[in-house]
Amino acid sequence: MPPGVDPVELPPRSLRHLILVDLPNPDEAVIRLAGTLACDIYGRELKGTSVHAFFDQDGAGQVLADLRRVQAEGSPLLTRRRYVSINQKMWSYTRLLVPIQPDPTGVARVLKALEPVTFQRVSAPAPGS
């Protein structure tokens, strides 16, 4: 996605499902802007929230690896995700990560789009299964 894309040009119905992530250094990813879906799920504004606040160490490592892969390769990445969120609920969805060119300060960004048809809350597996 070129850096000059105007968010006003995006379909309004998609905005609810978008998250813009800053990658200020190799070990961090921080939400710059989150659509209302993510904010509604967590019950608060997510701007400034670190990936480490959403996932355990392994989960954060996987997410960071995906974000860094998109940044390094400059190519989108489509994946199916299932995880326990910060509010202790399990979610399943398909996500698209799209690289955005670094801003003038050198901070890389990735646009995360949640595919609304697959986005759903799922039951956690029973203990021992």
mmCIF file of all heavy atoms in Angstrom, residues 88-106:
data_model
loop_
_atom_site.group_PDB
_atom_site.id
_atom_site.type_symbol
_atom_site.label_atom_id
_atom_site.label_comp_id
_atom_site.label_asym_id
_atom_site.label_seq_id
_atom_site.Cartn_x
_atom_site.Cartn_y
_atom_site.Cartn_z
ATOM 1 N N GLN A 88 -9.677 -12.461 28.086
ATOM 2 C CA GLN A 88 -9.826 -13.890 28.379
ATOM 3 C C GLN A 88 -10.907 -14.584 27.558
ATOM 4 O O GLN A 88 -11.474 -15.583 27.979
ATOM 5 C CB GLN A 88 -10.060 -14.110 29.878
ATOM 6 C CG GLN A 88 -8.922 -13.609 30.750
ATOM 7 C CD GLN A 88 -7.579 -14.218 30.353
ATOM 8 O OE1 GLN A 88 -7.439 -15.433 30.309
ATOM 9 N NE2 GLN A 88 -6.604 -13.395 30.058
ATOM 10 N N LYS A 89 -11.188 -14.078 26.396
ATOM 11 C CA LYS A 89 -12.128 -14.709 25.479
ATOM 12 C C LYS A 89 -11.351 -15.180 24.256
ATOM 13 O O LYS A 89 -10.410 -14.524 23.832
ATOM 14 C CB LYS A 89 -13.219 -13.719 25.065
ATOM 15 C CG LYS A 89 -14.073 -13.284 26.247
ATOM 16 C CD LYS A 89 -15.057 -12.216 25.857
ATOM 17 C CE LYS A 89 -15.813 -11.763 27.093
ATOM 18 N NZ LYS A 89 -16.561 -10.548 26.861
ATOM 19 N N MET A 90 -11.761 -16.324 23.714
ATOM 20 C CA MET A 90 -11.064 -16.864 22.550
ATOM 21 C C MET A 90 -11.759 -16.383 21.276
ATOM 22 O O MET A 90 -12.986 -16.418 21.178
ATOM 23 C CB MET A 90 -11.027 -18.384 22.589
ATOM 24 C CG MET A 90 -10.178 -18.944 21.462
ATOM 25 S SD MET A 90 -9.649 -20.638 21.670
ATOM 26 C CE MET A 90 -8.604 -20.558 23.071
ATOM 27 N N TRP A 91 -10.949 -15.970 20.301
ATOM 28 C CA TRP A 91 -11.451 -15.444 19.036
ATOM 29 C C TRP A 91 -10.793 -16.188 17.887
ATOM 30 O O TRP A 91 -9.646 -16.612 17.981
ATOM 31 C CB TRP A 91 -11.146 -13.954 18.917
ATOM 32 C CG TRP A 91 -11.769 -13.161 20.000
ATOM 33 C CD1 TRP A 91 -11.193 -12.820 21.200
ATOM 34 C CD2 TRP A 91 -13.089 -12.648 20.033
ATOM 35 N NE1 TRP A 91 -12.090 -12.115 21.952
ATOM 36 C CE2 TRP A 91 -13.261 -11.997 21.269
ATOM 37 C CE3 TRP A 91 -14.150 -12.664 19.135
ATOM 38 C CZ2 TRP A 91 -14.440 -11.363 21.623
ATOM 39 C CZ3 TRP A 91 -15.327 -12.034 19.486
ATOM 40 C CH2 TRP A 91 -15.466 -11.397 20.727
ATOM 41 N N SER A 92 -11.503 -16.299 16.788
ATOM 42 C CA SER A 92 -10.994 -16.906 15.571
ATOM 43 C C SER A 92 -11.311 -15.949 14.428
ATOM 44 O O SER A 92 -12.409 -15.389 14.377
ATOM 45 C CB SER A 92 -11.678 -18.257 15.348
ATOM 46 O OG SER A 92 -11.252 -18.840 14.149
ATOM 47 N N TYR A 93 -10.336 -15.776 13.524
ATOM 48 C CA TYR A 93 -10.557 -14.866 12.401
ATOM 49 C C TYR A 93 -9.475 -15.038 11.350
ATOM 50 O O TYR A 93 -8.428 -15.618 11.595
ATOM 51 C CB TYR A 93 -10.589 -13.404 12.855
ATOM 52 C CG TYR A 93 -9.331 -12.937 13.541
ATOM 53 C CD1 TYR A 93 -8.278 -12.372 12.816
ATOM 54 C CD2 TYR A 93 -9.193 -13.039 14.920
ATOM 55 C CE1 TYR A 93 -7.130 -11.941 13.441
ATOM 56 C CE2 TYR A 93 -8.042 -12.611 15.555
ATOM 57 C CZ TYR A 93 -7.016 -12.067 14.814
ATOM 58 O OH TYR A 93 -5.870 -11.646 15.432
ATOM 59 N N THR A 94 -9.730 -14.518 10.196
ATOM 60 C CA THR A 94 -8.734 -14.416 9.134
ATOM 61 C C THR A 94 -8.264 -12.972 9.117
ATOM 62 O O THR A 94 -9.078 -12.049 9.222
ATOM 63 C CB THR A 94 -9.351 -14.802 7.770
ATOM 64 O OG1 THR A 94 -9.822 -16.145 7.861
ATOM 65 C CG2 THR A 94 -8.330 -14.694 6.662
ATOM 66 N N ARG A 95 -6.969 -12.789 9.012
ATOM 67 C CA ARG A 95 -6.422 -11.423 8.994
ATOM 68 C C ARG A 95 -5.522 -11.246 7.787
ATOM 69 O O ARG A 95 -4.882 -12.180 7.313
ATOM 70 C CB ARG A 95 -5.642 -11.126 10.266
ATOM 71 C CG ARG A 95 -4.342 -11.887 10.287
ATOM 72 C CD ARG A 95 -3.380 -11.391 11.327
ATOM 73 N NE ARG A 95 -2.144 -12.124 11.116
ATOM 74 C CZ ARG A 95 -1.261 -12.353 12.045
ATOM 75 N NH1 ARG A 95 -1.444 -11.906 13.262
ATOM 76 N NH2 ARG A 95 -0.163 -13.006 11.764
ATOM 77 N N LEU A 96 -5.498 -10.032 7.311
ATOM 78 C CA LEU A 96 -4.607 -9.637 6.233
ATOM 79 C C LEU A 96 -3.681 -8.563 6.783
ATOM 80 O O LEU A 96 -4.145 -7.553 7.327
ATOM 81 C CB LEU A 96 -5.409 -9.081 5.046
ATOM 82 C CG LEU A 96 -4.593 -8.555 3.871
ATOM 83 C CD1 LEU A 96 -3.783 -9.679 3.221
ATOM 84 C CD2 LEU A 96 -5.516 -7.883 2.858
ATOM 85 N N LEU A 97 -2.381 -8.789 6.670
ATOM 86 C CA LEU A 97 -1.385 -7.798 7.057
ATOM 87 C C LEU A 97 -0.809 -7.198 5.781
ATOM 88 O O LEU A 97 -0.363 -7.932 4.901
ATOM 89 C CB LEU A 97 -0.269 -8.439 7.882
ATOM 90 C CG LEU A 97 -0.680 -9.110 9.187
ATOM 91 C CD1 LEU A 97 0.533 -9.760 9.851
ATOM 92 C CD2 LEU A 97 -1.349 -8.134 10.129
ATOM 93 N N VAL A 98 -0.841 -5.872 5.686
ATOM 94 C CA VAL A 98 -0.387 -5.169 4.486
ATOM 95 C C VAL A 98 0.695 -4.172 4.884
ATOM 96 O O VAL A 98 0.470 -3.329 5.762
ATOM 97 C CB VAL A 98 -1.564 -4.425 3.798
ATOM 98 C CG1 VAL A 98 -1.088 -3.696 2.556
ATOM 99 C CG2 VAL A 98 -2.690 -5.388 3.479
ATOM 100 N N PRO A 99 1.870 -4.238 4.254
ATOM 101 C CA PRO A 99 2.929 -3.290 4.606
ATOM 102 C C PRO A 99 2.598 -1.882 4.127
ATOM 103 O O PRO A 99 1.999 -1.690 3.075
ATOM 104 C CB PRO A 99 4.149 -3.841 3.867
ATOM 105 C CG PRO A 99 3.577 -4.555 2.689
ATOM 106 C CD PRO A 99 2.256 -5.117 3.152
ATOM 107 N N ILE A 100 3.002 -0.935 4.941
ATOM 108 C CA ILE A 100 2.892 0.476 4.573
ATOM 109 C C ILE A 100 4.299 1.049 4.671
ATOM 110 O O ILE A 100 5.052 0.712 5.584
ATOM 111 C CB ILE A 100 1.922 1.220 5.514
ATOM 112 C CG1 ILE A 100 0.522 0.639 5.356
ATOM 113 C CG2 ILE A 100 1.928 2.720 5.231
ATOM 114 C CD1 ILE A 100 -0.506 1.252 6.261
ATOM 115 N N GLN A 101 4.675 1.861 3.732
ATOM 116 C CA GLN A 101 6.021 2.429 3.718
ATOM 117 C C GLN A 101 6.305 3.177 5.015
ATOM 118 O O GLN A 101 5.407 3.757 5.614
ATOM 119 C CB GLN A 101 6.172 3.381 2.532
ATOM 120 C CG GLN A 101 6.014 2.707 1.187
ATOM 121 C CD GLN A 101 7.025 1.601 0.968
ATOM 122 O OE1 GLN A 101 8.188 1.741 1.298
ATOM 123 N NE2 GLN A 101 6.575 0.491 0.413
ATOM 124 N N PRO A 102 7.586 3.168 5.434
ATOM 125 C CA PRO A 102 7.942 3.896 6.662
ATOM 126 C C PRO A 102 7.615 5.379 6.548
ATOM 127 O O PRO A 102 7.664 5.948 5.470
ATOM 128 C CB PRO A 102 9.456 3.700 6.767
ATOM 129 C CG PRO A 102 9.768 2.539 5.898
ATOM 130 C CD PRO A 102 8.718 2.520 4.821
ATOM 131 N N ASP A 103 7.259 5.955 7.684
ATOM 132 C CA ASP A 103 7.029 7.396 7.686
ATOM 133 C C ASP A 103 8.395 8.097 7.690
ATOM 134 O O ASP A 103 9.431 7.438 7.768
ATOM 135 C CB ASP A 103 6.127 7.810 8.854
ATOM 136 C CG ASP A 103 6.804 7.738 10.219
ATOM 137 O OD1 ASP A 103 8.044 7.586 10.286
ATOM 138 O OD2 ASP A 103 6.104 7.848 11.222
ATOM 139 N N PRO A 104 8.437 9.425 7.585
ATOM 140 C CA PRO A 104 9.732 10.131 7.497
ATOM 141 C C PRO A 104 10.661 9.891 8.686
ATOM 142 O O PRO A 104 11.867 10.031 8.571
ATOM 143 C CB PRO A 104 9.323 11.605 7.420
ATOM 144 C CG PRO A 104 7.943 11.579 6.864
ATOM 145 C CD PRO A 104 7.309 10.320 7.390
ATOM 146 N N THR A 105 10.121 9.472 9.841
ATOM 147 C CA THR A 105 10.974 9.210 11.002
ATOM 148 C C THR A 105 11.539 7.799 10.972
ATOM 149 O O THR A 105 12.319 7.425 11.832
ATOM 150 C CB THR A 105 10.193 9.398 12.317
ATOM 151 O OG1 THR A 105 9.153 8.408 12.383
ATOM 152 C CG2 THR A 105 9.616 10.789 12.438
ATOM 153 N N GLY A 106 11.139 6.992 9.975
ATOM 154 C CA GLY A 106 11.657 5.641 9.841
ATOM 155 C C GLY A 106 10.831 4.568 10.522
ATOM 156 O O GLY A 106 11.166 3.402 10.462
#
